[in-house]
Amino acid sequence: MLPSPGRLLALLACCLGVTLTPAAAYRKGVWRRVEAVVGREAVLPCEVGNFEASDMVYVVLWYRNGDKEPIYSYDNRPGRLQAAEDRHLVKSRLLQGRATFRPGHLPALHIKPVESSDQANYTCRVDFRIATSRRTHLSLHVMVPPEPPVLRAGGQRVTDGVLGPLQEGGAWEITCSVAGGDPPPSVVWRRDGEVLDATSESRSPALTVNRLSILRLTRDYHNARLKCLAYNNNVTSPASASVTVKMNLWPLVTRIEAPPKWLRVGREFVISCIVAGSRPHPNVTWTLGTPTSLTPLPAELAEVSTSPFLAEVAELVEVAS
């Protein structure tokens, strides 16, 4: 039976005269993922581990993408007449003024502000006075937040934050387009914290779209605030755009208020038509006759939801005395 990879590494370390446990030897080739957001700070930890109290860290070297020359060095060897800041040497032009190694209990290389070009594989090598050198392998992924969403309805861009008026009972569609973002963002439609649609699609490497479709608009969408959110990380706030829906609503109530059972010739009667629940204010029209021959009648609007009908019925209606 062939020995395990960890045991092979341990045997190799033993032959080279290095004291290394199988688990530690196996971890030497493990790459850790580190995430940062462009424009902010990237923290690349360098594992020093436990070492004897009589030992000490001598030199810390940082390498990028397997290059032979280090991009950053920290010299902690004693007996050198150097100021603390002179022990640090940034050897990469790209990192000048942005990179700082902070030694201590949790040593790390800090890059601020981090740029997209900083995305790479990094290796930290720590040399001790006594112990064997140790390496930390890191894969830095720099995320770029997406641009603010752009909303479109009916082929037109929504710019004033208001959409409508839309007709109750009709179909409706609005598109949220988000440019940029690395990795591509998730684009989600929400209404009062409730997710309406979380299905987005990539139209191109630089454009992500979520199309919200409503087959039948109900009146509860009136004054609803819909928000499109785009996010690709847990550090920055999601990019967002919102719109308030305005609707034309059918009346909920249309009735004639307590019409008299009998009308008398020569007398004046007031008949009220109650209309409620509509938007905008309704136009109420009175007619007289059969469906095939309707005669408009004059009316007066007393209130928004009530239309009193003042009718002279002397010769229009025959009423038995």
Side-chain angles (χ1 to χ4, degrees):
M1 177 182 293
L2 293 175
S4 64
R7 183 168 178 78
L8 282 174
L9 288 172
L11 291 173
L12 179 59
C14 180
C15 295
L16 295 176
V18 178
T19 303
L20 197 62
T21 64
Y26 188 77
R27 283 200 302 269
K28 285 176 69 66
V30 175
W31 288 82
R32 289 178 49 192
R33 179 185 176 96
V34 177
E35 295 182 348
V37 177
V38 68
R40 300 205 172 193
E41 184 177 31
V43 180
L44 304 175
C46 184
E47 295 185 7
V48 175
N50 297 322
F51 53 91
E52 298 293 335
S54 59
D55 202 356
M56 66 178 298
V57 173
Y58 260 19
V59 178
V60 179
L61 300 173
W62 282 92
Y63 300 87
R64 173 185 165 119
N65 288 337
D67 292 340
K68 293 183 179 180
E69 292 297 321
I71 59 173
Y72 194 108
S73 67
Y74 169 68
D75 190 344
N76 192 45
R77 287 174 290 181
R80 293 176 170 254
L81 300 177
Q82 289 179 290
E85 60 271 14
D86 293 337
R87 294 177 179 270
H88 298 260
L89 180 59
V90 181
K91 298 185 177 183
S92 170
R93 247 184 344 103
L94 299 177
L95 294 178
Q96 289 289 343
R98 297 190 299 120
T100 304
F101 177 73
R102 300 179 188 174
H105 181 63
L106 297 174
L109 182 67
H110 294 250
I111 304 175
K112 183 179 181 180
V114 66
E115 301 173 355
S116 298
S117 57
D118 294 323
Q119 181 165 299
N121 293 327
Y122 294 83
T123 297
C124 169
R125 192 187 87 188
V126 182
D127 294 339
F128 299 88
R129 184 174 69 88
I130 300 173
T132 305
S133 298
R134 298 173 186 174
R135 288 176 172 81
T136 303
H137 302 292
L138 303 168
S139 179
L140 175 61
H141 294 261
V142 180
M143 297 175 291
V144 181
E147 298 292 326
V150 174
L151 306 183
R152 286 187 173 86
Q156 301 295 321
R157 182 169 177 174
V158 181
T159 57
D160 57 359
V162 177
L163 187 64
L166 306 177
Q167 186 61 50
E168 179 183 2
W172 172 64
E173 184 176 275
I174 185 170
T175 299
C176 178
S177 303
V178 181
D182 185 17
S186 297
V187 181
V188 178
W189 278 104
R190 288 180 176 269
R191 174 188 172 186
D192 299 328
E194 176 189 359
V195 176
L196 294 179
D197 193 335
T199 305
S200 55
E201 58 178 315
S202 296
R203 296 287 180 84
S204 68
L207 185 65
T208 306
V209 175
N210 186 329
R211 179 176 295 169
L212 177 63
S213 298
I214 307 296
L215 298 180
R216 185 178 182 276
L217 276 170
T218 55
R219 64 189 303 118
D220 62 321
Y221 273 93
H222 177 58
N223 281 334
R225 189 167 181 262
L226 306 181
K227 180 178 286 188
C228 177
L229 302 172
Y231 55 90
N232 64 353
N233 66 82
N234 295 324
V235 178
T236 60
S237 300
S240 66
S242 60
V243 63
T244 300
V245 179
K246 298 295 183 180
M247 294 183 60
N248 288 335
L249 305 176
W250 297 107
L252 290 175
V253 177
T254 303
R255 73 172 184 269
I256 296 178
E257 184 75 4
K261 293 183 178 181
W262 302 98
L263 304 179
R264 292 183 179 275
V265 174
R267 292 187 58 184
E268 185 179 276
F269 296 88
V270 175
I271 304 175
S272 296
C273 175
I274 304 299
V275 182
S278 63
R279 183 186 183 275
H281 301 325
N283 293 322
V284 180
T285 302
W286 287 90
T287 58
L288 180 69
T290 63
T292 57
S293 177
L294 296 176
T295 302
L297 298 176
E300 295 178 1
L301 285 175
E303 297 178 7
V304 172
S305 58
T306 304
S307 172
F309 168 40
L310 183 61
E312 291 286 350
V313 295
E315 297 179 356
L316 297 178
V317 181
E318 292 184 2
V319 181
S321 59

